[in-house]
């Protein structure tokens, strides 16, 4: 039997499978057949006579455990596979706690709280402690408690640690320790554990009850941990304790794919594994079976820039494959068009399925431009690991405000936002409004707009204030275009302030999504082909979009996959597009202040590159809207880290490609890899003009003149337009591409 599967392995894989005793580490490069090695290693243990009950295999997803168990069944049979202790950290230790929880004071039938349960409980505690839930947001507080538990910081340690106390006081949230204390006490009293407790309480159990630890050390004679680079301190300690007696621990992972530090993962666990086990045997799986030689070599050229890593030489025996294409667009909307056109062209030219394509991005907010461009070409897509842009809560909340502004009688919109952000209008008050509307035969808005006639003064006051806001929004929307109205409403409603105050990962994502919606409104109002640029017209436009989304979601068939890079971990696609390759976007501006953070971003880029099997395309925009303002963008430093011999740069030669236009031919000019590239003048990000820079009088500016701009650098005037008394200059700048500037505001020095 052994020969059957050993013949399917390369020498490195076979060596890792046959090693049984003592600690070992399998460094598995991207696409190196890691799951196959894990499967056959367990199969080999079983064939060597190891009882399946004595094998503990810890994975990071239920899907991985299920897939591995199914493969093992095919090799050794179903009975043995079913008796393995195989599953996620949380599922395995929940199972153990069911048997042992009474020893730490919990009932064996303890409840497991999900995130919403936990947030609700934190909210109740905040109310009881009379704390401001705008300052102490339940999600943020829960994140802080979660981080403490993952580092095995108890309530008492949290309360007594001067550094933690100083951090909370500096953040103006000195009561988090008290909330943690109350939260833990309430969970204990309710006989409940949250997701983090499943690991935290397991550590407590093993620490306080050595007899229990000894029991499971004797049971689990062989411990295997998948994706070891993603373990946090709590998981690391559990695995180390369980393996302390037999020392038969095998960890599998790739330090180059450690991308979950924001969830508490500690790359040092894999980098320092040898310190815990000096007798360690190391096996390196370096052959990539997934990608072309070009993609593998390009990925290697990027990751070699990281200092903190376990060195390996990943290679591929697959075909050479095409060069990596880099698309340069003038704007984020054009980037979406170029990517959509490229997908359409590739599908038709090579007889592919849309299932063969994936678009990866750093943040969920980037999906908007991609979604709209794909939709215009009738390319079906699916979003993995997140909702369609217009289905996200924060987007629906702001759109509800916009709808209510245009139509105050929109009851669903009113009920969604009347108490968001919170303004003291609770469920009881809303119920009274509904009753009053029904009894008086008025709409809810009519009751809201005249609340002082239907409700006591104290109850009516916040409702009156809300009604005045909506009336003010209606006035603004009647005078301004959709963007100005939407921007005014987003700020005045308190939504932007509310989301900006939440510094959690989720809060930052929601804040970015609101910014992206406003960018979409700005692009809508600046589209010269749209005559009606009112808020009502914009809402009609996106209403049709969301209807299409709903229909697409109900249809079956091939579709382009869209997801964040974090969500793409472990997946592979024939053709991959990584979009938004710009400084401050990827790498994120929040991840460039330390080498450790920057190296995490580089590992994320490495993961993105290695999702591609046959073709990889990277794209970036030279300008992108941020809060309605068009800002210049600089290409990502990661693009410069790819060995240039593996890259084919393409440049958009026109401001935008229309729906259905090929991104090839006249839309692009190809940089030849055979001819020398003429030197280009470089304008640093945030171009710094000379000290003697003085704007010129531009009243007599002419087409063809060369100009200098204090931000965009040097360029030539290609066109002048006068609209409603204002003159616009269309200027082709040497570095940032084409810009349209109002001469009454632009500070230009005319050079001739």
């Amino acid at each position: 039997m052994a020969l059957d599967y050993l013949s399917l392995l390369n020498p490195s894989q076979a060596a890792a499978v046959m090693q049984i005793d003592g600690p070992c580490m399998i460094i598995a490069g991207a696409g190196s057949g890691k799951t196959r090695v894990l499967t056959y290693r367990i199969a080999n243990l079983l064939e060597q006579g190891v009882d399946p009950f004595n094998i503990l295999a810890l994975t990071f997803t239920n899907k991985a455990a299920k897939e591995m168990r199914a493969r093992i069944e095919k090799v050794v049979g179903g009975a043995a596979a079913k008796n393995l202790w195989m599953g996620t950290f949380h599922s395995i230790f929940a199972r153990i706690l069911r048997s042992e929880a009474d020893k730490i004071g919990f009932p064996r039938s303890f409840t497991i709280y999900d995130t919403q349960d936990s947030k609700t409980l934190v909210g109740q505690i905040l109310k009881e402690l009379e704390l401001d839930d705008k300052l102490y947001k339940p999600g943020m507080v829960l994140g802080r408690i979660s981080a403490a538990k993952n580092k095995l910081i108890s309530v008492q340690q949290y309360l007594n640690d001067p550094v933690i106390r100083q951090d909370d006081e500096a953040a103006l949230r000195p009561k988090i320790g008290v909330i943690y204390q109350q939260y833990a006490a309430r969970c204990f009293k309710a006989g409940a554990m949250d997701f983090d407790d499943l690991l935290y309480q397991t550590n407590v159990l093993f620490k306080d009850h050595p007899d229990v630890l000894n029991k499971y050390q004797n049971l689990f004679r062989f411990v295997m941990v998948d994706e070891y680079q993603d373990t946090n301190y709590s998981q690391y300690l559990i695995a180390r304790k369980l393996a302390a007696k037999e020392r038969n621990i095998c960890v599998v992972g790739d330090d180059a794919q450690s991308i979950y530090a924001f969830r508490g993962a500690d790359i040092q666990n894999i980098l320092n594994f040898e310190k815990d086990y000096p007798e360690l045997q190391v096996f390196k799986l370096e052959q990539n079976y997934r990608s072309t030689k070009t993609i593998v070599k390009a990925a290697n050229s990027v990751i070699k820039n990281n200092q903190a890593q376990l060195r390996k030489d990943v290679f591929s025996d697959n075909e050479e494959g095409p060069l990596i294409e880099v698309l340069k667009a003038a704007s984020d909307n054009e980037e979406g068009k170029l990517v959509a056109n490229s997908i359409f062209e590739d599908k038709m030219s090579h007889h592919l399925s849309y299932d063969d394509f994936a678009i990866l991005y750093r943040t969920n907010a980037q999906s908007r431009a991609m979604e709209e461009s794909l939709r215009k070409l009738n390319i079906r897509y699916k979003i993995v690991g997140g909702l369609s842009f217009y289905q996200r809560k924060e987007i629906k909340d702001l759109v509800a405000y916009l709808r209510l502004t245009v139509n105050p009688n929109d009851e669903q919109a009113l009920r969604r936002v009347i108490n968001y952000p919170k303004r003291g209008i609770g469920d009881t008050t809303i119920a009274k409004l509904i009753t009053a509307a029904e009894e008086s035969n008025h709409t809810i808005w009519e009751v809201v707009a005249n609340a002082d006639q239907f409700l006591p003064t104290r109850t009516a006051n916040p409702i009156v204030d809300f009604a005045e806001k909506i009336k003010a929004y209606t006035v603004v929307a009647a005078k301004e275009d959709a963007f100005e109205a939407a921007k005014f409403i987003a700020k005045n409603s308190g939504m932007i302030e509310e989301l900006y105050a939440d510094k959690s990962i989720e809060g930052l994502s929601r804040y970015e999504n609101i910014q992206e919606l406003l960018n979409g409104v700005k692009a809508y109002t600046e589209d010269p082909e749209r005559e009606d640029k009112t808020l009502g017209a914009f809402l009609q436009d996106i209403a049709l979009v969301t209807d299409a989304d709903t229909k697409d979601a109900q249809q079956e068939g091939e579709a382009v996959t869209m997801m964040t890079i974090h969500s793409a971990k472990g997946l592979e696609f024939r053709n991959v597009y990584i979009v938004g390759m710009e400084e401050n976007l990827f790498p994120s501006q929040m991840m460039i202040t330390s080498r450790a953070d920057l190296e995490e971003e580089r590992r994320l880029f490495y993961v993105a590159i290695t999702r591609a099997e046959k073709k990889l395309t990277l794209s970036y925009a030279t300008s992108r809207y941020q809060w309605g303002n068009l800002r210049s963008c600089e290409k990502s430093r990661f693009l410069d880290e790819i060995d240039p011999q593996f890259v084919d740069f393409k440049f958009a030669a026109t401001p935008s490609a229309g729906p259905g236009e090929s991104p090839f031919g006249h839309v692009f000019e190809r940089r030849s890899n055979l001819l020398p590239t003429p030197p280009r003048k470089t304008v640093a990000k945030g171009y710094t003009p000379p000290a003697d820079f003085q704007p010129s009088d531009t009243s007599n500016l002419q087409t063809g003149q060369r100009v200098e701009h204090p931000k965009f650098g040097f360029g030539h005037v290609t066109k002048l337009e006068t609209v409603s008394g204002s003159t616009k200059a269309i200027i082709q700048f040497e570095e940032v591409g084409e810009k349209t500037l109002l001469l009454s505001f632009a500070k230009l020095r005319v050079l001739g």
Side-chain angles (χ1 to χ4, degrees), residues 534-739:
T534 63
L535 187 58
F538 171 76
L539 287 171
Q540 177 179 302
D541 189 69
I542 65 168
L544 296 173
V545 165
T546 51
D547 282 346
D549 284 346
T550 303
K551 290 174 184 175
D552 281 351
Q554 295 170 346
Q555 293 174 354
E556 295 183 357
E558 61 183 70
V560 174
T561 300
M562 296 174 60
M563 65 179 83
T564 64
I565 301 167
H566 282 101
S567 299
K569 177 87 180 294
L571 302 178
E572 56 189 45
F573 301 91
R574 189 186 192 282
N575 290 16
V576 169
Y577 292 77
I578 308 173
V579 301
M581 293 299 305
E582 297 143 34
E583 283 294 298
N584 297 325
L585 185 55
F586 196 19
S588 165
Q589 62 181 347
M590 295 182 292
M591 299 290 283
I592 56 177
T593 56
S594 72
R595 181 169 62 82
D597 285 346
L598 183 59
E599 292 198 353
E600 171 108 349
E601 287 288 282
R602 188 177 287 112
R603 291 193 294 271
L604 188 61
F605 185 42
Y606 176 85
V607 166
I609 292 173
T610 54
R611 297 313 92 197
E613 297 173 353
K614 301 292 186 183
K615 183 180 177 185
L616 176 64
T617 304
L618 312 175
S619 67
Y620 70 99
T622 57
S623 65
R624 192 176 289 271
Y625 277 112
Q626 291 183 339
W627 298 106
N629 295 315
L630 193 62
R631 299 189 185 278
S632 297
C633 302
E634 181 183 349
K635 71 175 180 178
S636 170
R637 68 188 74 188
F638 294 153
L639 291 178
D640 293 326
E641 292 180 0
I642 303 174
D643 189 322
Q645 67 177 304
F646 305 122
V647 180
D648 180 14
F649 283 90
K650 293 186 172 186
F651 298 93
T654 60
S656 63
E661 288 184 31
S662 168
F664 304 95
H666 74 280
V667 179
F668 284 111
E669 60 178 271
R670 180 183 293 269
R671 175 189 286 184
S672 171
N673 291 310
L674 303 176
L675 299 175
T677 304
R680 294 190 300 154
K681 294 183 179 180
T682 301
V683 178
K685 185 183 178 186
Y687 170 75
T688 304
D692 64 350
F693 180 88
Q694 287 292 332
S696 304
D697 177 4
T698 56
S699 57
N700 295 314
L701 190 66
Q702 301 293 318
T703 300
Q705 286 188 302
R706 191 163 187 262
V707 295
E708 180 184 12
H709 187 275
K711 182 176 180 181
F712 302 137
F714 300 98
H716 283 86
V717 180
T718 60
K719 191 175 180 181
L720 293 169
E721 296 179 347
T722 301
V723 180
S724 302
S726 298
T727 302
K728 292 181 180 180
I730 299 174
I731 303 171
Q732 184 67 38
F733 287 101
E734 294 171 4
E735 265 314 303
V736 299
E738 187 177 272
K739 301 287 182 185

Side-chain angles (χ1 to χ4, degrees), residues 294-356:
T294 295
I295 291 170
V296 170
K297 290 175 182 177
N300 288 345
S301 69
V302 170
I303 202 63
K304 74 177 183 182
N305 292 286
N306 272 11
Q307 292 183 27
Q309 64 171 297
L310 300 168
R311 298 290 172 182
K312 53 190 171 296
D313 183 22
V314 180
F315 67 95
S316 173
D317 282 341
N318 295 338
E319 71 272 23
E320 201 70 36
L323 295 177
I324 296 169
E325 292 182 357
V326 178
L327 308 182
K328 175 182 177 182
S331 68
D332 48 347
N333 285 331
E334 183 188 51
E335 181 187 33
K337 292 175 183 176
L338 296 180
V339 168
N341 284 329
S342 176
I343 290 173
F344 184 83
E345 179 85 11
D346 266 6
K347 179 184 184 293
M348 296 305 176
S349 299
H350 303 290
H351 308 291
L352 303 177
S353 161
Y354 283 133
D355 291 334
D356 292 324

Side-chain angles (χ1 to χ4, degrees), residues 101-168:
D102 57 316
K103 295 180 176 62
I104 53 175
F106 282 85
R108 294 188 178 187
S109 58
F110 63 86
T111 299
I112 299 176
Y113 279 171
D114 63 18
T115 302
Q116 195 53 53
D117 293 326
S118 297
K119 282 186 178 179
T120 300
L121 177 54
V122 169
Q124 291 168 352
I125 293 169
L126 294 176
K127 189 176 291 185
E128 291 165 11
L129 295 175
E130 297 182 338
L131 295 173
D132 184 353
D133 62 2
K134 292 181 180 177
L135 187 60
Y136 291 90
K137 292 183 177 299
M140 178 277 299
V141 173
L142 199 58
R144 185 76 168 157
I145 293 172
S146 174
K149 288 182 180 179
N150 285 331
K151 294 177 182 175
L152 301 183
I153 299 171
S154 69
V155 168
Q156 288 307 315
Q157 288 173 317
Y158 195 104
L159 289 170
N160 296 331
D161 190 309
V163 175
I164 293 176
R165 196 162 58 244
Q166 287 171 10
D167 285 347
D168 286 345

Side-chain angles (χ1 to χ4, degrees), residues 137-286:
K137 292 183 177 299
M140 178 277 299
V141 173
L142 199 58
R144 185 76 168 157
I145 293 172
S146 174
K149 288 182 180 179
N150 285 331
K151 294 177 182 175
L152 301 183
I153 299 171
S154 69
V155 168
Q156 288 307 315
Q157 288 173 317
Y158 195 104
L159 289 170
N160 296 331
D161 190 309
V163 175
I164 293 176
R165 196 162 58 244
Q166 287 171 10
D167 285 347
D168 286 345
E169 288 172 355
L172 304 178
R173 297 180 181 92
K175 297 291 186 182
I176 288 183
V178 175
I179 301 168
Y180 182 13
Q181 184 179 43
Q182 291 277 331
Y183 177 79
R186 295 276 283 274
C187 285
F188 185 79
K189 186 177 180 180
M193 296 187 197
D194 65 18
F195 209 56
D196 297 309
D197 280 326
L198 298 176
L199 301 180
Y200 177 84
Q201 297 296 352
T202 298
N203 273 292
V204 170
L205 175 69
F206 289 164
K207 177 173 68 71
D208 294 349
H209 297 274
D211 58 320
V212 176
L213 174 60
N214 184 60
K215 170 184 171 181
Y216 288 100
Q217 286 175 335
N218 289 330
L219 176 63
F220 300 136
R221 293 180 48 227
F222 295 88
V223 177
M224 295 182 64
V225 186
D226 190 15
E227 303 287 6
Y228 191 68
Q229 76 279 353
D230 293 331
T231 53
N232 59 32
Y233 179 66
S234 182
Q235 292 163 327
Y236 155 79
L237 208 57
I238 290 173
R240 195 179 76 172
K241 284 180 177 178
L242 288 173
K245 194 168 186 177
E246 297 285 345
R247 297 179 76 79
N248 292 327
I249 182 171
C250 174
V251 301
V252 185
D254 181 5
D255 57 294
Q257 297 185 67
S258 178
I259 59 173
Y260 294 118
F262 68 94
R263 293 182 188 168
D266 188 351
I267 192 175
Q268 296 304 319
N269 291 347
I270 193 168
L271 295 180
N272 296 328
F273 190 66
E274 191 169 2
K275 292 182 179 179
D276 288 333
Y277 304 96
E279 73 274 35
L280 179 71
Q281 296 186 62
V282 178
F283 302 92
K284 295 182 179 181
L285 309 184
E286 297 173 307

Side-chain angles (χ1 to χ4, degrees), residues 423-528:
R423 51 177 63 89
I425 305 174
D427 292 342
T428 303
T429 303
I430 294 172
K432 289 179 180 178
L433 290 171
I434 295 170
T435 301
E438 290 175 350
E439 292 177 352
S440 63
N441 199 28
H442 286 91
T443 65
I444 295 181
W445 169 251
E446 289 170 336
V447 174
V448 166
N450 301 279
D452 52 354
Q453 297 178 24
F454 293 90
L455 299 172
T457 303
R458 185 175 178 182
T459 306
N461 283 341
I463 300 171
V464 170
D465 291 341
F466 171 75
E468 291 303 317
K469 280 181 178 287
I470 302 302
K471 291 175 184 176
Y473 302 164
T474 302
V475 172
V476 172
K479 294 180 179 179
E480 305 286 353
D481 66 21
F483 171 71
E484 293 300 330
K487 183 172 70 170
F488 178 86
I489 294 166
K491 290 182 177 179
N492 193 267
S493 66
M495 274 194 66
I496 288 180
E497 183 180 356
E498 169 98 357
L499 295 174
Y500 182 76
D502 184 356
K503 299 300 184 184
S504 66
I505 297 294
E506 295 81 4
L508 290 169
S509 178
R510 288 191 287 267
Y511 180 77
E512 291 169 350
N513 287 339
I514 291 296
Q515 173 184 326
E516 189 62 17
L517 176 61
L518 293 178
N519 293 343
V521 185
K522 182 71 170 180
Y524 178 92
T525 58
E526 292 201 340
D527 186 344

